[in-house]
Amino acid sequence: MNNLIEKADKFVEELFKEKLPNTFIYHNYQHTERVVKSTKELIDNSEINVKEAEALILAAWLHDTGYIHKYKGHEEKSAEIAESFLKEHNATEELIEQVKNYILATRFSNTPTCLGDKIIRDADSSHFGKDYFEETSEFLRQELEMHNVKNFTNAEWLEENILVFTEKHQYYTDYAIKEWKPKKEENLLELIEDKNKQ
């Protein structure tokens, strides 16, 4: 692992310890670590070059740092934090721009176009296709409530998740479609069953 990536890891860990309120039970260092791990998994299974891989892993580490400032629109803040961190460590302009673009590509409203954008988006939502989906989903629900973003009843949260799974989210990389989508579909079936039980 290169030195800059190690420094980014340390930087984010310290930043979150010092500045991220403990009400962030979903968007925190643990979530960031998971996104980094998923990013690496996708890189290892794709045809992406070394320079882009570096930018992607850096973006994965830095993509949620903006939460220390604001909830909605945190991606722009994350890109600013990434820029100042990378300048401090004498990164090239090209690398800085790439990292910022990848961070902005994590916006759920964006449709990723290039492979790098697809990788970071899939990594950021890899939990939809994992065994621990239910647990992370509950953390997110509580976090939204604690930050006065939105309060969901159990029934509303089920509805919201089903909507995201069926209409708002998709995996974009071949690897995620092959490896994570089947589990995502199982998770969706469980959501629908839970809804039917209600």
Side-chain angles (χ1 to χ4, degrees):
M1 184 160 88
N2 81 26
N3 200 0
L4 187 56
I5 288 171
E6 276 179 48
K7 284 177 178 160
D9 175 358
K10 291 274 179 302
F11 168 74
V12 173
E13 192 176 13
E14 287 302 304
L15 182 74
F16 281 179
K17 257 190 203 141
E18 287 168 23
K19 303 229 167 109
L20 192 72
N22 58 9
T23 44
F24 282 90
I25 55 176
Y26 175 78
H27 291 105
N28 52 27
Y29 183 73
Q30 195 184 2
H31 164 74
T32 301
E33 276 186 315
R34 276 203 302 264
V35 174
V36 171
K37 186 171 174 257
S38 296
T39 301
K40 288 176 179 170
E41 194 180 326
L42 290 166
I43 288 169
D44 290 344
N45 291 283
S46 73
E47 303 288 316
I48 204 149
N49 68 48
V50 177
K51 277 176 93 170
E52 277 185 280
E54 180 190 29
L56 275 166
I57 295 167
L58 287 167
W61 276 118
L62 296 158
H63 82 285
D64 277 345
T65 51
Y67 277 113
I68 66 166
H69 294 298
K70 63 198 290 198
Y71 208 98
K72 285 209 159 74
H74 69 275
E75 295 92 351
E76 285 77 8
K77 287 285 179 197
S78 301
E80 285 168 25
I81 291 167
E83 182 169 21
S84 64
F85 165 80
L86 292 166
K87 277 186 174 155
E88 216 173 282
H89 291 89
N90 305 315
T92 63
E93 272 306 313
E94 185 193 5
L95 181 62
I96 293 170
E97 277 313 301
Q98 226 175 355
V99 170
K100 284 166 65 183
N101 286 335
Y102 286 147
I103 289 171
L104 295 175
T106 61
R107 282 187 294 222
F108 216 67
S109 55
N110 282 15
T111 304
T113 46
C114 67
L115 180 57
D117 288 359
K118 290 174 181 178
I119 286 174
I120 193 104
R121 270 294 287 282
D122 283 357
D124 199 19
S125 60
S126 59
H127 63 288
F128 289 155
K130 302 283 183 181
D131 292 330
Y132 51 74
F133 164 71
E134 201 178 336
E135 182 194 7
T136 51
S137 169
E138 185 50 35
F139 284 152
L140 179 58
R141 178 171 94 153
Q142 290 174 24
E143 183 184 286
L144 291 167
E145 197 168 308
M146 287 192 273
H147 289 267
N148 300 316
V149 179
K150 202 159 179 200
N151 283 2
F152 290 94
T153 64
N154 285 350
E156 286 167 346
W157 189 238
L158 272 176
E159 284 290 342
E160 178 69 17
N161 276 300
I162 290 168
L163 181 71
V164 169
F165 269 51
T166 53
E167 289 177 34
K168 294 183 181 173
H169 174 264
Q170 68 182 83
Y171 285 126
Y172 297 97
T173 58
D174 294 343
Y175 180 81
I177 289 166
K178 182 168 161 280
E179 298 296 327
W180 300 343
K181 196 180 170 202
K183 183 65 191 171
K184 179 191 164 186
E185 284 168 357
E186 277 178 42
N187 288 333
L188 173 60
L189 282 176
E190 282 179 24
L191 290 167
I192 293 167
E193 279 171 18
D194 289 347
K195 187 188 163 187
N196 291 341
K197 278 180 201 152
Q198 290 186 352

